[in-house]
Amino acid sequence: MTAAVDDDLWSAIGDPTRRRMLDLLLAEGDGTATSLSERLPVTRQAVAKHLGVLDRVGLVHATPAGRERRYRVDEAQLARAVAQLSSVGAAWDARLRRIKRIAEAIQRKQDQQ
C-alpha cells in the first residue's frame, strides 16, 4: 500500500455522491449510470464521471451490458478501505488517550501547587 493509492482511495470515498452511489450499488447488487442517475440528484454524465473515479481506485468494476456498462462494488477493495479506516481510528484513539493522560498529569501538578 502506497500513500498515493490510499490518498486516491480516500479522496474517492470522501465525496458524498460517490458514497451514496456505493450504498445504492451495494443494496441493489449492481447498476448503470442511467439507473443510478434516476436515484441521485445529479445528471447521468456526472454519475458516469463519479463511476470513473470509483473504477480507477478499484472500488467498482464495470462489465459491458448492451449500450451501457453495469457497475458492481469490489467488496475486497471496500473491505480494504474499511480496514484502513479502522486502523486510522485506532491510531487516533491512542493519540487522544495519550493527550488525556498528559492533560490529567498537568492538572494534578496544578492542583498540588
Side-chain angles (χ1 to χ4, degrees):
M1 290 189 296
T2 65
V5 171
D6 296 345
D7 287 345
D8 289 345
L9 178 65
W10 286 104
S11 177
I13 293 174
D15 183 275
T17 300
R18 289 192 283 266
R19 286 194 307 272
R20 179 70 179 125
M21 290 170 65
L22 288 169
D23 288 342
L24 290 169
L25 290 171
L26 285 167
E28 297 172 8
D30 66 3
T32 64
T34 300
S35 68
L36 291 170
S37 68
E38 292 168 354
R39 312 246 343 251
L40 296 166
V42 294
T43 66
R44 184 200 173 288
Q45 291 79 11
V47 168
K49 287 182 181 182
H50 283 298
L51 287 168
V53 171
L54 293 171
D55 190 37
R56 277 193 299 282
V57 298
L59 283 167
V60 299
H61 296 292
T63 55
R67 293 173 20 144
E68 292 210 74
R69 296 168 57 89
R70 295 203 72 76
Y71 291 86
R72 177 177 291 278
V73 174
D74 182 316
E75 293 184 19
Q77 183 72 330
L78 185 59
R80 179 177 167 259
V82 169
Q84 286 180 20
L85 182 59
S86 294
S87 175
V88 168
W92 274 104
D93 286 345
R95 288 179 187 126
L96 292 172
R97 283 192 301 273
R98 196 166 48 244
I99 290 168
K100 181 181 178 190
R101 285 192 306 270
I102 292 168
E104 288 170 345
I106 291 169
Q107 186 63 49
R108 281 193 301 274
K109 284 183 184 180
Q110 289 177 348
D111 290 346
Q112 292 172 356
Q113 292 178 355

